[in-house]
Amino acid sequence: MKIIDRYLILNVFLGFAVAAALLLPLFSTLDLVGELDDIDEGYRLVQALEVVFMTLPRRAVDLGPFIALLGGIAALGQLAVTQELITLRAAGLSATRIGMTTLAAGLILAVALAIANEFIASPLQQKALQTRSQAMASTKGNSKDGSIWGRRNDQFARIGSLRLGHIPTQVEVFEFDEQARLQQYLYADYADIQPNGVWELHNVQVKRWTAGEESFEQRDRMTWQSILPERRLRDVSFPAESLSSRQLYHYITFLRGSSQPSAQYEVALWEKLGTPLLTLAMILFAVPFAFTQVRSTSLGSKLALGAVVGLLIYLVNQIIMNLGILFGLSPPLVGTAPALAMLGVALFWVFRFDRKR
């Protein structure tokens, strides 16, 4: 049996390779077309190609469930066409037994994609986003990636952008009293991050309101005890989908500690944990596709039907994620329940197919 298991796993991995070779160039071309719209004097074609290349691992991770489904259908479907699956069934191997061997290949793929997401895809995607924003800022005159907010007690802080990825610019600090009345407003052009959370602010404007009177002060430099996580400041400027699981966990901890909403990032974290489960579900769905109507249905038709099923599952999963954030549902439930449900359906389908046969 070990020889048969190795043979099946080898064929499934060949199917994964074929599916990846078809899907990755297609989606990378679409990504490049999207980047071409932003090409200008600062952001050139060479940089656009570099950005697309650096986001290729992220695209592979995102397409992992599709690769598992289509690769499994291609591998098992080809074995069905050559009558090898029928031979294995005649030798006493059940569909469940073949499905579990296929699931083992899917488990290896899911673990590999999870490791790649953590240590390859996320760092490269963040580097690509930084390269893109810096190149576009060189001609558009700013490097704004989106504001970064922080809060501690009655003090709020905002950073307009990060110059060169690590220099806070357009720094604003708001201080309120116990009645939620603004007591002090501070604005600085940029800040130098010092040890122990101290920032040296430059070109500072300070406004204060005391007993109904307003005062104004202009300073060249001023120190400020930051309430923002300077060790991970660059991380929090990136979109949630580009962060690794560790970065998401640390940022969620910061948001909770500063009484800010963190549902979007919690769902993103649990979605990353649910993606391997969805990959396993997809590879199991390939088993009934391979066995159903072997003679009357061509391999191309099965692949087309599998692509439609995969797309529907992806759309349903995204709808559930967004509805979960909108209605404030439990992030662990929103992030993993769809994948667990699909895995349960796939297992039921395989076992039911075996009983019917």
Side-chain angles (χ1 to χ4, degrees), residues 129-335:
L129 291 172
Q130 186 176 355
T131 299
R132 186 178 187 274
S133 62
Q134 289 178 1
M136 296 179 68
S138 64
T139 55
K140 295 183 179 180
N142 62 78
S143 58
K144 188 172 183 178
D145 297 321
S147 297
I148 302 171
W149 285 88
R151 176 187 177 184
R152 180 181 296 160
N153 300 324
D154 295 325
Q155 189 178 70
F156 296 78
R158 186 190 77 89
I159 296 175
S161 63
L162 290 175
R163 185 192 307 163
L164 302 178
H166 66 276
I167 301 176
T169 64
Q170 304 171 28
V171 181
E172 294 181 288
V173 181
F174 307 82
E175 292 187 15
F176 296 85
D177 61 15
E178 295 179 355
Q179 286 73 42
R181 293 177 298 190
L182 184 62
Q183 294 291 99
Q184 178 176 286
Y185 169 75
L186 182 152
Y187 176 86
D189 287 344
Y190 67 98
D192 291 326
I193 299 177
Q194 307 295 330
N196 301 321
V198 177
W199 288 15
E200 184 176 27
L201 306 179
H202 296 263
N203 301 326
V204 186
Q205 302 173 21
V206 183
K207 288 185 179 181
R208 295 185 178 91
W209 291 266
T210 306
E213 296 184 0
E214 178 181 330
S215 62
F216 176 81
E217 182 181 1
Q218 180 81 36
R219 298 186 186 181
D220 293 333
R221 295 184 180 183
M222 176 181 175
T223 59
W224 173 60
Q225 186 67 39
S226 173
I227 63 174
L228 293 163
E230 71 277 359
R231 291 184 60 187
R232 301 185 180 274
L233 193 58
R234 187 180 65 176
D235 295 346
V236 302
S237 66
F238 294 121
E241 63 271 12
S242 70
L243 300 179
S244 67
S245 299
R246 293 172 301 164
Q247 290 173 320
L248 283 169
Y249 174 77
H250 288 294
Y251 190 36
I252 290 169
T253 302
F254 161 71
L255 291 175
R256 287 177 175 177
S258 58
S259 302
Q260 297 185 69
S262 60
Q264 177 185 358
Y265 294 91
E266 291 183 52
V267 170
L269 175 60
W270 284 99
E271 183 182 8
K272 288 181 182 294
L273 300 178
T275 297
L277 297 176
L278 187 60
T279 301
L280 296 180
M282 289 295 204
I283 190 65
L284 276 180
F285 275 122
V287 177
F289 271 103
F291 281 110
T292 303
Q293 297 179 348
V294 173
R295 296 181 180 179
S296 60
T297 306
S298 67
L299 180 58
S301 299
K302 293 179 181 179
L303 288 172
L305 181 58
V308 173
V309 170
L311 180 60
L312 289 175
I313 292 176
Y314 172 78
L315 292 176
V316 170
N317 192 50
Q318 291 302 308
I319 291 173
I320 292 175
M321 296 289 177
N322 288 292
L323 289 177
I325 296 174
L326 179 63
F327 292 106
L329 302 179
S330 171
L333 179 66
V334 174

Side-chain angles (χ1 to χ4, degrees), residues 27-49:
F27 281 88
S28 295
T29 302
L30 296 176
D31 291 339
L32 180 59
V33 171
E35 294 296 326
L36 293 178
D37 293 335
D38 295 321
I39 289 180
D40 54 21
E41 295 180 2
Y43 186 53
R44 300 181 182 277
L45 177 60
V46 174
Q47 292 169 308
L49 290 170

